[in-house]
Amino acid sequence: MVVIRQNPTTLVVRYVLTIMELIPLLVHFLLAVISVCNNHIYTLNNNIEYTKMNKKISILALVLTLVVTSCSDFLETPSKSSLSTGNFYKTPAQMDQALTGVYSCLKPLSIYYFAMSEIRSDNMLQTTEAKANDYADCSQFNSTSLLTNSIVANCWADYYKLIASANALLENMGGLSETTEDVKTQYEAEARFLRGFAYFDLVRFFGRVPLSTTVLSTAESFALKQSESVEIYTQIIEDLEFATNNLQESSVDFQGKKHPERVSAIAAKALLGKVYMQMAGFPLYKDTKAQAEEMLREVLQEANALNGIPTKYWAKDIDEWNKMWIHENNNKYFLFEIQYACEKDAGNPMTPLTRVQNSKADNYCNANLTIGPHLYINRDLQDEFFQLNADVEGGEVTDILDERLSGTINTASFYDEETGEYVGGIKDANNFMVKFFEHKMKRNELGFPDMDASIVDRTYWPQNFPLLRIEDVMLLYAECVGNTNEGYHCLNLIRTRAGMSTLTGLSPQQFQVAVLSERRHELLGEGQRWFDQVRLNTFVDDIKTKFINYRDLRDGSHSANYTVYANRVTPDMYLYPIPLSQIQVHQGLYTQNKGY
């Protein structure tokens, strides 16, 4: 995967003429440059600075830097004046490289699923003993600090970088004139899928955002206002419908080589189904549930998931389920994923954050390979995972009901052969998420060799991150069809694989509760919970309950803090604020979201 480096020099040159005409905006502009350029820094709770750096510049990366991703602080779209179609986008090989550049823009996105969705939901929290940091702002609903939060600002910039890259490619499809019309159409479908995907996340995170499907000049960027959410969803659907109609089972490049790592028709259908489901819920409440059911059903039919055991994208038992989070299972189980590599600045930026600091860090991996902000699994959720069967032998419980526990939450299940001790968390403690953390004991238990020597620093972790999974589709479909035979089939396939009993005879309401609970357990760590809670409009009650339970049941010594956090959660907080760096670039162009 090619990773594109931002070019600050090009950035300054690109805007200097415009800025000369916009002297009153100069100060705000410089603030924005600092805020959103790609070599930004995350300051974490322990004052460790984690710099998002990129891979070494290749000729392609340099070209794409000039053409596509010059870090516009207003709206990550390149100026038409910077495009050089005479030097690039001329041949099928260059177009293929450009498409690779669009895919590379997915690289930082796992951070936003983790920090802005997972941590913000009732799945996890930033505990009170940690120092204030950007992750705490997301978890603790700090509306004032979120305005200048680097994670939120970088999220905006990185998604618009992806959109800008896709738009530049789509405007220059003439470079594929030497190849077949089928390949040209497929490349267009891939780029439109990625653009639709980016806007889907943007509208869920920020609501009313600027909408552009073309490359913008600087002047056009400064004049582009926010679009209504409905308009953005209309464009998302248009892009994804084109993708579903023109993508293949496996992407094929201009040379006829298959690329299973790229988006496929089944992934486009899955994403379109999720879009329709989101639109059917809060805050739009559109009549799109029937379309969602149709799309999700097509995905499950193609995966043979409605009659017996799925034959595609499915781990057949809990042992295989635990192994599917190991990076060697590259693209085997996920409909679409962000792919990472074990090399400098090519790893998953989320992985180093999933393990908290503790005194036994070296039992998991070399201590300098993780960052460890104090981000923990909600203990209420841990209790659900720790549900125990009634069988007790010799005073000890002999079985755990949900067998996904050890593969999801750090528990005392990892045995260190060198020390002869079990290392990990305990039931009533602050435990971290282990799902995307391939530490050496986990790999050893699952039969994979130690890879510590290959992880030179925090930027090397190679865990791929799923954006679309068959289980996600199955449970959304079960939500659509309710307590029907097909609904029970999808729900119980996932439950029984996890070692739990099948469910039958539930009322419609009980069935929906069971489906949502299963989504929470199965998809923990994947950034889906917050979007579910917003879609179902349960986020206010759910998050308040999390904080109140910590105040009254878990951590009374910080009761005043948890009361403050609970009081911050209001119905307007389903969106993040438009980053202040964007608001300040051109005063009066954007309207800030309510609650900020």
Side-chain angles (χ1 to χ4, degrees), residues 360-374:
K360 296 186 177 182
D362 289 341
N363 289 318
Y364 299 101
C365 65
N366 187 301
N368 67 357
L369 300 181
T370 60
I371 297 172
H374 295 220

Side-chain angles (χ1 to χ4, degrees), residues 239-448:
D239 279 342
L240 295 182
E241 284 182 341
F242 185 90
T244 59
N245 293 329
N246 292 285
L247 288 171
Q248 307 300 319
E249 183 177 349
S250 182
S251 174
V252 179
D253 66 20
F254 69 101
Q255 295 178 317
K257 179 183 177 182
K258 290 186 176 181
H259 288 271
E261 76 280 3
R262 292 181 177 178
V263 67
S264 62
I266 193 171
K269 291 177 182 178
L271 183 57
L272 184 54
K274 287 175 68 71
V275 168
Y276 282 132
M277 283 293 286
Q278 199 75 29
M279 293 178 70
F282 177 82
L284 296 181
Y285 292 117
K286 294 294 182 180
D287 187 18
T288 55
K289 196 170 182 179
Q291 292 99 312
E293 181 180 330
E294 179 183 358
M295 282 293 102
L296 299 172
R297 182 178 179 82
E298 286 189 26
V299 172
L300 298 181
Q301 287 175 329
E302 290 184 33
N304 302 310
L306 292 177
N307 297 298
I309 305 297
T311 57
K312 298 179 182 179
Y313 311 107
W314 180 254
K316 67 180 184 298
D317 54 34
I318 194 61
D319 291 334
E320 192 172 351
W321 187 90
N322 280 318
K323 291 179 180 179
M324 78 178 183
W325 310 107
I326 301 296
H327 74 273
E328 281 89 342
N329 291 312
N330 190 27
N331 208 41
K332 180 178 180 181
Y333 300 101
F334 305 146
L335 299 176
F336 186 57
E337 63 186 9
I338 306 175
Q339 296 202 323
Y340 296 98
C342 189
E343 56 187 86
K344 181 68 175 176
D345 302 318
N348 189 336
M350 171 183 164
T351 295
L353 300 170
T354 60
R355 188 198 64 78
V356 299
Q357 291 181 319
N358 60 45
S359 60
K360 296 186 177 182
D362 289 341
N363 289 318
Y364 299 101
C365 65
N366 187 301
N368 67 357
L369 300 181
T370 60
I371 297 172
H374 295 220
L375 308 171
Y376 298 102
I377 302 292
N378 181 359
R379 289 195 207 177
D380 293 342
L381 177 58
Q382 285 186 189
D383 283 353
E384 291 184 25
F385 269 95
F386 273 105
Q387 291 180 84
L388 302 173
N389 290 344
D391 298 332
V392 177
E393 183 176 330
E396 294 185 359
V397 179
T398 60
D399 196 12
I400 295 176
L401 186 59
D402 191 333
E403 295 179 6
R404 291 167 296 194
L405 170 63
S406 62
T408 305
I409 300 173
N410 183 53
T411 67
S413 62
F414 293 108
Y415 183 72
D416 189 331
E417 294 179 350
E418 294 183 3
T419 64
E421 297 179 352
Y422 283 94
V423 179
I426 58 176
K427 180 180 178 181
D428 192 22
N430 290 327
N431 289 318
F432 62 88
M433 188 184 68
V434 75
K435 197 173 192 177
F436 296 102
F437 180 27
E438 287 190 41
H439 60 70
K440 55 189 177 184
M441 289 177 289
K442 176 179 179 178
R443 288 180 61 83
N444 179 61
E445 281 203 355
L446 297 177
F448 292 89

Side-chain angles (χ1 to χ4, degrees), residues 12 32 103 110 149 194 223 227 258 286 289 317 449 472 491 566 583 596:
V12 173
Y103 277 100
S110 64
N149 185 289
L194 292 168
S227 293
K258 290 186 176 181
K286 294 294 182 180
K289 196 170 182 179
D317 54 34
D472 184 6
L491 175 61
I583 296 285
Y596 299 96

